[in-house]
Amino acid sequence: MSILEVKDLKKSFGKTEVLKGVSFNLEEGEVLSIIGSSGSGKTTILRCINQLETADSGYINVAGNVFFDGGIKKESASEKRKRQLLVGLVFQDFHLFPQYNVLDNVTLAAKLLAKERADYKHNKKQIIAEIEEKAKVLLAKVGLSEKLSNYPCELSGGQKQRVSIARALIMEPKVLFFDEPTSALDPELTGEILKVIKGLAEDNVTMVIVTHEMSFAKAVSSKVIFMDNGVIEEAGTPEEVFDNPKSERTKAFISKFED
Amino acid sequence: MFEREILETVIPRLADGFIVTLEIFFLTLLISLPAGLIISFGSMSKFKPLKLATKTLVAVIRGTPLVLQLIVIFYGPGLLASWAQSVENPNFLIEWIATWHVMDRFVAVIASFSLNYACYFSEIYRGGIESISKGQYEACQVLGMTKTQAFFKVVLMQVVKRIIPPMSNEIITLVKDTSLARVISIYELIWAGEVFIKLNGLLWPLLATGIFYLAFNGLLTVVFGKIENKLNYYKT
Ligand SMILES: Nc1ncnc2c1ncn2[C@@H]1O[C@H](COP(=O)(O)OP(=O)(O)O)[C@@H](O)[C@H]1O
Ligand SMILES: [Mg+2]
């Protein structure tokens, strides 16, 4: 069974129909890249899956859990939260917590969640130590071992984004989503982020990446979707979409990125 | 002029007045700081009637002088009661109003000051809370925090940092506003000083009250400066 299943997803804001029926599947360990021009609905797809927006109709399933199936149902905040922990989202502009240092940014949510464990009172010290150890491993992986006690305002954009990736990873989501993770960065800083994401792909982390970095998308993805005006104009392997696009619109879009 | 005897009568009188001033100041803060938070939640409520009612209250309180509010709150209940007593065939509501008394002066001061400052504080709180970007809440949500955790662990500290400067301005204004209580014959610091003009033709005790205000506000400024510095370890 697919780890992520999206069927006929529709979403309007007021009178503008932003998603006009979007369907795709993703298997465990795969990387999906979503490309397309600005305003085509890429962010909205991620926001609907990550429960930041509620779709109008369609179906979303993550790791066997129904996230959405059309109607708005009454449910407790805790059910929504349980699902929330299955997905992770890295924002274009990081949204780090400015008052916490790098280590605390990464551990905060995990520590709060750990308080709900039955054995928390007995093993508090050990649980906290484990979370901090895990955070340090992740921060080493993204190359920030030297910055544990720095505050976000002391970091470059690329470093901030690497913290936010570690912050998402510590919650161990089944699928990790990236919304243009390099778009807020100076061009010379995009490389360090793309390298981190490539590393994750090698570790078989299941990911969905909205990006304008075409050669990166081609190299890292198992599947590519080209979004145009609220619909999937073309989908396939990177070779199919980038080297032999069937649709004229896809061709036109991709040719804009070739020099 | 500065004979010891006079000094020995003036200083204790000023000190008495200053204690009343401090009472008004601290009691007003004690009530208005939390009350302002409740009012700010009202003015941000998604429930339209509550939002409208709160916004109207805040607009009226901020749009009229504190002195006027003080007088209305002090004389209002007594005046209403004497009107209610004169009504023929009163219904139960009017009968109840007829039992009201003239308000205690000090209670009237604390009530009007607290209401007034709660409304000002509520606007500062609201500004602070609304200035936190949606992204902070969304980051908390996608990390699986509850709304309560997001507010207390992430948002609140940032709000506090933003509101400290406007809050300290407002609180320093409160120190000076306490002198308005004399309008309904509360024996506060200014009055204590003024007495000596009428009594002995001495001006300096009144001028000396200025030193109390200066010293107290100086202290507050230092304290707020310290808090601001403490929170300066990060930028938003
Ligand atoms: N909260 C919103 N309210 C109104 N319109 C929105 C909202 N979010 C997105 N849109 C509109 O939806 C369209 C698609 O937006 P988005 O999904 O952000 O596109 P992309 O990420 O591909 O650039 C845009 O026209 C945008 O203006
Ligand atoms: Mg977008």
Side-chain angles (χ1 to χ4, degrees), chain A residues 79-128:
Chain A
E79 281 173 69
K80 182 173 176 179
R81 181 156 168 252
K82 248 183 235 158
R83 291 196 305 265
Q84 196 79 57
L85 291 164
L86 298 171
V87 288
L89 175 61
V90 171
F91 297 89
Q92 182 173 334
D93 31 16
F94 337 125
H95 301 319
L96 294 182
F97 307 132
Q99 75 269 41
Y100 292 116
N101 67 24
V102 166
L103 185 63
D104 292 340
N105 260 279
V106 176
T107 58
L108 179 66
K111 282 182 182 172
L112 290 172
L113 187 67
K115 283 188 182 168
E116 290 164 28
R117 282 169 55 167
D119 61 342
Y120 184 73
K121 277 211 175 107
H122 288 285
N123 302 335
K124 188 173 168 184
K125 272 201 177 136
Q126 194 197 333
I127 289 172
I128 300 256

Side-chain angles (χ1 to χ4, degrees), chain A:
Chain A
M1 199 182 57
S2 302
I3 195 137
L4 172 63
E5 214 180 322
V6 174
K7 268 191 225 151
D8 204 22
L9 197 66
K10 290 184 181 161
K11 173 74 181 171
S12 301
F13 291 108
K15 286 198 178 117
T16 22
E17 199 178 13
V18 173
L19 298 180
K20 300 170 183 169
V22 169
S23 308
F24 60 89
N25 281 5
L26 193 65
E27 308 306 318
E28 196 163 359
E30 282 188 335
V31 176
L32 167 71
S33 287
I34 304 179
I35 59 172
S37 52
S38 163
S40 57
K42 307 180 297 298
T43 296
T44 306
I45 295 175
L46 299 199
R47 290 179 63 85
C48 286
I49 300 171
N50 282 275
Q51 310 191 107
L52 295 173
E53 305 282 357
T54 308
D56 299 331
S57 66
Y59 175 82
I60 301 170
N61 188 307
V62 181
N65 299 268
V66 177
F67 269 45
F68 179 74
D69 63 354
I72 297 168
K73 48 177 190 260
K74 284 231 187 282
E75 53 164 13
S76 65
S78 79
E79 281 173 69
K80 182 173 176 179
R81 181 156 168 252
K82 248 183 235 158
R83 291 196 305 265
Q84 196 79 57
L85 291 164
L86 298 171
V87 288
L89 175 61
V90 171
F91 297 89
Q92 182 173 334
D93 31 16
F94 337 125
H95 301 319
L96 294 182
F97 307 132
Q99 75 269 41
Y100 292 116
N101 67 24
V102 166
L103 185 63
D104 292 340
N105 260 279
V106 176
T107 58
L108 179 66
K111 282 182 182 172
L112 290 172
L113 187 67
K115 283 188 182 168
E116 290 164 28
R117 282 169 55 167
D119 61 342
Y120 184 73
K121 277 211 175 107
H122 288 285
N123 302 335
K124 188 173 168 184
K125 272 201 177 136
Q126 194 197 333
I127 289 172
I128 300 256
E130 278 168 14
I131 292 172
E132 288 181 353
E133 193 45 45
K134 194 168 152 193
K136 284 176 189 166
V137 170
L138 288 169
L139 284 163
K141 209 173 195 172
V142 299
L144 288 173
S145 293
E146 311 290 299
K147 299 284 182 188
L148 299 185
S149 53
N150 284 84
Y151 288 88
C153 61
E154 301 165 334
L155 303 179
S156 72
Q159 291 169 333
K160 283 183 196 165
Q161 192 59 295
R162 284 184 277 152
V163 176
S164 91
I165 293 171
R167 185 177 71 168
L169 284 170
I170 199 168
M171 305 309 287
E172 298 181 348
K174 297 279 182 196
V175 185
L176 181 55
F177 295 81
F178 293 80
D179 190 6
E180 300 194 30
T182 61
S183 291
L185 305 178
D186 294 333
E188 71 268 22
L189 298 178
T190 60
E192 58 188 73
I193 301 302
L194 301 182
K195 209 174 101 193
V196 166
I197 299 175
K198 274 185 187 149
L200 296 177
E202 281 157 20
D203 293 346
N204 295 318
V205 178
T206 314
M207 293 183 284
V208 175
I209 308 164
V210 172
T211 184
H212 291 300
E213 301 289 333
M214 296 302 152
S215 53
F216 162 75
K218 196 173 164 182
V220 82
S221 313
S222 346
K223 282 183 186 169
V224 178
I225 284 175
F226 169 59
M227 284 292 298
D228 187 61
N229 202 13
V231 295
I232 296 179
E233 176 72 15
E234 185 147 0
T237 64
E239 292 74 27
E240 286 166 350
V241 176
F242 288 111
D243 300 337
N244 301 299
K246 295 190 195 77
S247 141
E248 287 305 316
R249 284 171 173 275
T250 316
K251 269 182 212 163
F253 179 77
I254 287 167
S255 68
K256 274 193 281 185
F257 288 88
E258 282 164 358
D259 1 61

Side-chain angles (χ1 to χ4, degrees), chain B residues 108-172:
Chain B
V109 167
I110 299 305
S112 54
F113 275 58
S114 298
L115 177 64
N116 184 277
Y117 273 84
C119 286
Y120 277 96
F121 290 153
S122 79
E123 286 294 276
I124 295 176
Y125 293 149
R126 187 173 66 83
I129 291 171
E130 287 179 347
S131 74
I132 305 303
S133 81
K134 216 172 97 206
Q136 290 288 306
Y137 293 97
E138 291 187 347
C140 292
Q141 188 194 323
V142 298
L143 288 167
M145 290 185 214
T146 64
K147 283 187 174 151
T148 317
Q149 288 170 340
F151 185 76
F152 285 104
K153 297 292 175 181
V154 173
V155 173
L156 186 61
M157 258 272 261
Q158 296 176 45
V159 173
V160 168
K161 183 179 163 87
R162 292 205 186 165
I163 67 175
I164 292 272
M167 287 297 280
S168 58
N169 276 337
E170 213 54 61
I171 288 170
I172 282 167

Side-chain angles (χ1 to χ4, degrees), chain B residues 161 164 222-234:
Chain B
K161 183 179 163 87
I164 292 272
V222 170
V223 170
F224 283 122
K226 282 230 157 49
I227 298 175
E228 264 181 66
N229 274 340
K230 260 223 140 79
L231 293 175
N232 257 348
Y233 70 89
Y234 75 92

Side-chain angles (χ1 to χ4, degrees), chain B residues 21-202:
Chain B
T21 292
L22 288 181
E23 281 172 1
I24 299 172
F25 174 77
F26 283 111
L27 281 173
T28 300
L29 278 190
L30 195 71
I31 297 169
S32 62
L33 286 175
L37 194 59
I38 294 167
I39 294 174
S40 77
F41 288 146
S43 65
M44 290 182 288
S45 169
K46 284 189 188 120
F47 181 57
K48 285 273 160 60
L50 176 63
K51 181 174 172 154
L52 188 71
T54 325
K55 291 220 157 199
T56 310
L57 172 74
V58 172
V60 169
I61 295 295
R62 297 214 312 163
T64 55
L66 175 52
V67 174
L68 180 61
Q69 293 155 23
L70 183 57
I71 293 170
V72 167
I73 286 179
F74 176 52
Y75 291 107
L79 289 177
L80 276 176
S82 56
W83 161 79
Q85 283 155 11
S86 72
V87 171
E88 285 171 34
N89 305 324
N91 62 21
F92 74 98
L93 185 67
I94 291 180
E95 272 178 7
W96 178 59
I97 291 174
T99 66
W100 288 2
H101 297 286
V102 175
M103 220 189 239
D104 177 79
R105 288 172 199 283
F106 194 72
V107 173
V109 167
I110 299 305
S112 54
F113 275 58
S114 298
L115 177 64
N116 184 277
Y117 273 84
C119 286
Y120 277 96
F121 290 153
S122 79
E123 286 294 276
I124 295 176
Y125 293 149
R126 187 173 66 83
I129 291 171
E130 287 179 347
S131 74
I132 305 303
S133 81
K134 216 172 97 206
Q136 290 288 306
Y137 293 97
E138 291 187 347
C140 292
Q141 188 194 323
V142 298
L143 288 167
M145 290 185 214
T146 64
K147 283 187 174 151
T148 317
Q149 288 170 340
F151 185 76
F152 285 104
K153 297 292 175 181
V154 173
V155 173
L156 186 61
M157 258 272 261
Q158 296 176 45
V159 173
V160 168
K161 183 179 163 87
R162 292 205 186 165
I163 67 175
I164 292 272
M167 287 297 280
S168 58
N169 276 337
E170 213 54 61
I171 288 170
I172 282 167
T173 305
L174 171 60
V175 173
K176 295 175 285 181
D177 272 357
T178 53
S179 61
L180 296 175
R182 70 191 297 280
V183 170
I184 58 165
S185 307
I186 292 285
Y187 183 85
E188 45 64 62
L189 184 54
I190 295 270
W191 189 328
E194 202 182 353
V195 163
F196 292 95
I197 299 181
K198 293 172 190 152
L199 222 59
N200 318 49
L202 289 181

